[in-house]
Amino acid sequence: ELVLKVRIQTPNVRENDFIEIELDRQELTYKELLRVSCRELGVNPEHVQKIRKLPNTMLRKDKDVARLQDFQELELVLTVSDKNLLFRVPTLSEQSGYNKKASELTY
């Protein structure tokens, strides 16, 4: 396995931690990197403009991915300007365990 550190590019956020993902060394392709990164970060792959190897190198093809080494840092650069649209927080009624009748009780 190849272990990589991945995060979403969010320049205005003070804390933007990386997560570690694992890729099978037999499947080191750009498509697989995109798939696993998006799944782990909860992002739609259609919203990813590019993958950047920090500090300043854009990954474009399978050969670029094949050259990655353990614990290299990557960022997903998203196409949507309002990042909040991608990470919609569920409303109280959508959260599991919410009891609508209990919320309507009056004391």
Side-chain angles (χ1 to χ4, degrees):
E1 290 185 336
L2 174 67
V3 179
L4 299 170
K5 296 166 63 175
V6 183
R7 70 179 181 190
I8 297 169
Q9 179 207 22
T10 50
N12 298 335
V13 176
R14 192 165 179 209
E15 281 190 41
N16 188 18
D17 295 331
F18 288 93
I19 63 167
E20 291 182 354
I21 63 167
E22 296 85 24
L23 292 177
D24 185 344
R25 289 188 186 271
Q26 305 304 318
E27 297 181 35
L28 286 181
T29 64
Y30 184 89
K31 184 178 179 179
E32 183 66 5
L33 171 61
L34 179 63
R35 185 189 71 76
V36 172
S37 298
C38 287
R39 184 188 72 221
E40 292 288 331
L41 291 168
V43 174
N44 184 336
E46 294 175 4
H47 294 291
V48 177
Q49 178 182 359
K50 61 185 172 183
I51 301 175
R52 177 183 297 131
K53 181 175 76 171
L54 295 179
N56 59 5
T57 304
M58 183 174 69
L59 299 179
R60 301 172 297 141
K61 54 191 175 189
D62 293 348
K63 284 185 177 184
D64 297 341
V65 175
R67 286 190 290 268
L68 293 174
Q69 298 175 3
D70 278 327
F71 302 104
Q72 283 197 294
E73 297 178 344
L74 307 176
E75 279 186 336
L76 299 184
V77 179
L78 304 180
T79 57
V80 178
S81 59
D82 184 2
K83 310 265 188 294
N84 294 327
L85 293 175
L86 300 175
F87 305 104
R88 189 178 69 80
V89 176
T91 63
L92 186 59
S93 61
E94 294 172 333
Q95 294 176 6
S96 62
Y98 176 75
N99 185 336
K100 184 172 177 24
K101 287 185 179 182
S103 70
E104 295 172 350
L105 292 176
T106 56
Y107 294 94

